[in-house]
Amino acid sequence: MQIAQYPNKSLLTQTSPISENEFGMPELKQLVTEMFELMQKAQGVGLAGNQVVGCNKRLFVMDAGNIKEAFINPVIVENSEEMVENSEGCLSVLGVQVLKKRHKCVTLKWKTVEGKEKINKFEGLPAICIGHEISHLEGKTIICDLSKLKRDILLKKSSKFVKEQEKLYALREILKKRRNK
């Protein structure tokens, strides 16, 4: 399992709802477990279904502000009028920060892995994270609303960052092998 990187077309595609017969099934539970592991390994606070290569399901996982939860078929019920502006990063556009306005409070309805319906109001970091992940589920990334020029500049920056990270990873693997000899 790996995280899709922009401009992977799955990131620009609206996700498909999880069907009723998938709730409670081992495959869904495994997907959620693996998404949490992938998100934590990448040091993120949220990960949407379509950020995972080969997965176009309407769900996201979040571990932000003391809330660790899988949100399946989430729907925003209400947004606050008040907005907050923050610098956001994205696991699918590495090495880039974009100033985004999000709703300060979000009321969300979703289902659990077992299919139980929940509704809750979130604010602060969880609300911002929910707004970010819902955007992903709708086929939008943090750079979609930018001008082509700004987007191109940030994509070059992201590409350079990814290449540097790949080099660091390769060096770590070499050092690990040397230590194990």
Side-chain angles (χ1 to χ4, degrees):
M1 185 178 271
Q2 67 183 46
I3 297 173
Q5 294 300 307
Y6 188 90
N8 185 305
K9 69 179 183 177
S10 70
L11 297 169
L12 305 173
T13 305
Q14 197 170 25
T15 56
S16 300
I18 291 177
S19 63
E20 288 300 316
N21 63 352
E22 293 179 81
F23 288 101
M25 299 302 288
E27 296 83 4
L28 183 57
K29 292 176 182 177
Q30 183 66 29
L31 174 61
V32 166
T33 298
E34 290 178 7
M35 285 179 67
F36 269 116
E37 290 170 357
L38 186 60
M39 177 192 71
Q40 290 163 345
K41 182 178 178 187
Q43 299 178 345
V45 294
L47 185 67
N50 58 341
Q51 284 184 276
V52 176
V53 172
C55 179
N56 193 39
K57 295 188 180 281
R58 189 167 185 83
L59 80 151
F60 69 90
V61 295
M62 179 176 80
D63 190 355
N66 297 324
I67 297 168
K68 184 175 181 180
E69 181 84 43
F71 299 85
I72 301 174
N73 296 338
V75 176
I76 293 178
V77 176
E78 185 179 4
N79 285 317
S80 66
E81 288 185 29
E82 188 176 352
M83 305 289 280
V84 291
E85 191 170 55
N86 285 293
S87 182
E88 290 184 24
C90 180
L91 297 177
S92 292
V93 192
L94 293 172
V96 168
Q97 294 285 312
V98 176
L99 208 55
K100 295 291 289 184
K101 282 188 179 181
R102 301 271 185 204
H103 294 278
K104 184 178 180 181
C105 297
V106 175
T107 301
L108 191 73
K109 182 170 75 171
W110 74 97
K111 288 190 176 182
T112 66
V113 174
E114 298 299 333
K116 179 183 175 194
E117 195 167 282
K118 293 178 102 176
I119 189 166
N120 199 2
K121 183 176 182 178
F122 300 90
E123 58 184 288
L125 179 60
I128 292 165
C129 184
I130 287 168
H132 181 106
E133 300 311 327
I134 292 287
S135 291
H136 273 300
L137 298 178
E138 297 299 324
K140 297 177 183 168
T141 68
I142 60 172
I143 61 172
C144 284
D145 296 334
L146 301 176
S147 70
K148 182 175 177 357
L149 177 63
K150 278 187 178 179
R151 192 170 46 245
D152 289 347
I153 290 168
L154 290 175
L155 287 175
K156 280 183 183 177
K157 181 179 177 182
S158 179
S159 178
K160 183 178 178 182
F161 179 83
V162 168
K163 286 177 185 169
E164 289 171 0
Q165 292 300 306
E166 287 170 349
K167 286 178 188 175
L168 284 172
Y169 179 78
L171 283 172
R172 282 190 207 118
E173 291 301 307
I174 290 168
L175 291 172
K176 199 184 292 182
K177 286 178 184 175
R178 286 183 182 168
R179 278 189 224 129
N180 292 336
K181 285 185 178 181

